[in-house]
Amino acid sequence: MSPFPELTESDVLRFQFSSCIRSTILRPLSQDFLEFLHSEGVHIPEGSDDLPSQLSDEEDSEDVDSDDEGRRFAFPLLDAQIRECIKTYGAVFPKLNFSSPKDASWILPASSPLKCTSPADVYMLLKSSDFITHDITPASVFDGCAGSADAHPYELELVLRKWYPVDRSRELRCFVRQNTLLGMSQRDTNYYDFLNDPPTRAGIIASVRDFWETNIRPKWETPQDYTFDILLTRDLARGHIVDFNPYAPRTDPLLFTYDDLDVLRLRPDDERTPELRVIDSRAHPLATSNAPANQHNMIPFEALSLSSGRDIDEFAEAWKDGIEESLDS
């Protein structure tokens, strides 16, 4: 049997954030918003950062110069929806249908990564992210699926969740194949001593398996193969779901390989205790070094001149000031 199940378009749509986790979903998104995501450069729409907009609420951004390089965008209705959500939650964390802009977390203060308190913060994260490009077109969303890419309608969505600080040491990615929990992997690639304590490890395995058997397995319909990310509570006894993803090459297996997981699938039933993999020493080959995560996407050329001599909070403020100045020019 292949290490990967056949993935259909309907399977993929099952993993949209709006399909499996309760959140605030903003849709439909305008064609202008899609063009904004495709446009060159990192800039924010007018009026999204509580600055006076040169466009009235009645004007459509299609009436503005259509040349991408000099085009200004404005989304007053979407701004209002985002602001209402921020008013309700206090702060939000944005996603599109499947992907979060976590590779762009550097653009907001490191003390509160991905914490958005204005529409401008949401737009900056999305515009600075490579990860979210996967969600923009049906061709990329359904890449590798059986059947035609036009068989199922696909609509871009902006997902807003209540922001909260996350202790990355308690995040795990868990792998389910043929309705069997095979293993779980530490998501963060730092070394944490407590994760290597044998009684703690046994407790984590038991907590995750109990959570899966109680809250996911009886409610999940199809497909039978999937991954889920879970954030455990401080006492490591409970948890809540962060995300679901397909059991497919597009989902990072982290400290496993999919061949490893296939070996676990073939074990006898009486040996099928899920395996927990963590960074077991600071010398682990995958342990985080001084290089930041997602560094390939961190610094656009125009940001280099702002970064010299500044810490991340100072740089983020200078970056936002530069964008605001460009809007006034």
Side-chain angles (χ1 to χ4, degrees):
M1 177 181 291
S2 167
F4 301 109
E6 182 177 73
L7 198 63
T8 68
E9 294 172 11
S10 59
D11 290 338
V12 169
L13 294 177
R14 178 70 178 83
F15 291 100
Q16 288 186 108
F17 213 74
S18 59
S19 299
C20 51
I21 298 180
R22 183 177 298 176
S23 303
T24 297
I25 312 297
L26 302 183
R27 62 184 178 209
L29 299 174
S30 68
Q31 180 62 30
D32 283 344
F33 185 75
L34 186 60
E35 291 174 8
F36 164 71
L37 294 179
H38 279 301
S39 63
E40 296 296 327
V42 178
H43 47 276
I44 58 175
E46 293 194 359
S48 62
D49 203 18
D50 300 321
L51 298 175
S53 175
Q54 298 177 25
L55 300 179
S56 69
D57 285 358
E58 289 77 22
E59 285 182 298
D60 191 290
S61 56
E62 287 183 356
D63 296 331
V64 186
D65 178 10
S66 62
D67 177 72
D68 269 353
E69 189 171 340
R71 181 172 179 180
R72 298 192 304 274
F73 293 86
F75 308 110
L77 295 178
L78 185 58
D79 290 350
Q81 291 175 303
I82 295 173
R83 286 192 176 99
E84 184 62 29
C85 193
I86 290 171
K87 182 179 178 181
T88 300
Y89 291 145
V92 296
F93 163 56
K95 291 179 60 115
L96 294 183
N97 302 52
F98 304 94
S99 307
S100 72
K102 63 182 180 180
D103 58 323
S105 61
W106 61 273
I107 207 164
L108 294 178
S111 58
S112 50
L114 303 174
K115 181 180 182 180
C116 296
T117 57
S118 72
D121 291 342
V122 172
Y123 300 141
M124 276 204 299
L125 281 176
L126 296 178
K127 279 295 293 176
S128 303
S129 172
D130 283 342
F131 287 1
I132 62 97
T133 58
H134 164 271
D135 298 10
I136 294 177
T137 63
S140 59
V141 169
F142 297 131
D143 183 41
C145 290
S148 166
D150 299 322
H152 292 82
Y154 176 71
E155 182 179 26
L156 191 66
E157 302 170 346
L158 176 59
V159 179
L160 299 177
R161 299 196 74 192
K162 179 180 175 64
W163 184 89
Y164 53 88
V166 172
D167 183 344
R168 297 292 307 279
S169 70
R170 293 186 273 113
E171 278 191 302
L172 299 170
R173 173 159 295 170
C174 308
F175 302 86
V176 178
R177 183 86 200 268
Q178 296 177 322
N179 209 25
T180 300
L181 180 61
L182 301 178
M184 52 200 77
S185 169
Q186 176 183 337
R187 288 193 68 193
D188 186 30
T189 52
N190 283 291
Y191 170 76
Y192 298 101
D193 186 64
F194 78 94
L195 290 179
N196 290 276
D197 174 62
T200 299
R201 290 170 55 87
I204 289 173
I205 293 171
S207 295
V208 173
R209 182 162 56 179
D210 180 67
F211 181 92
W212 174 70
E213 290 177 344
T214 303
N215 299 289
I216 301 177
R217 187 179 188 180
K219 302 174 184 177
W220 188 270
E221 297 178 357
T222 57
Q224 288 192 329
D225 310 279
Y226 54 92
T227 74
F228 64 93
D229 296 338
I230 187 172
L231 176 65
L232 295 173
T233 54
R234 291 179 185 274
D235 62 4
L236 305 178
R238 299 175 308 282
H240 70 263
I241 290 295
V242 175
D243 206 356
F244 286 96
N245 285 289
Y247 190 101
R250 66 180 68 191
T251 301
D252 189 345
L254 301 175
L255 300 180
F256 290 96
T257 68
Y258 279 104
D259 285 339
D260 294 337
L261 293 166
D262 207 41
V263 170
L264 297 180
R265 179 183 63 83
L266 297 174
R267 291 178 304 179
D269 290 347
D270 59 353
E271 297 178 12
R272 284 195 174 180
T273 299
E275 180 176 334
L276 171 63
R277 291 194 179 180
V278 301
I279 299 294
D280 56 12
S281 75
R282 291 182 176 85
H284 191 286
L286 295 181
T288 296
S289 65
N290 291 329
N294 306 309
Q295 61 180 323
H296 68 283
N297 191 43
M298 286 195 70
I299 305 296
F301 180 78
E302 57 264 48
L304 293 177
S305 62
L306 293 176
S307 63
S308 179
R310 292 184 169 98
D311 63 26
I312 189 65
D313 290 342
E314 292 169 340
F315 168 71
E317 187 63 33
W319 181 245
K320 292 180 70 173
D321 288 345
I323 291 174
E324 291 169 4
E325 288 174 7
S326 72
L327 291 176
D328 294 333
S329 61

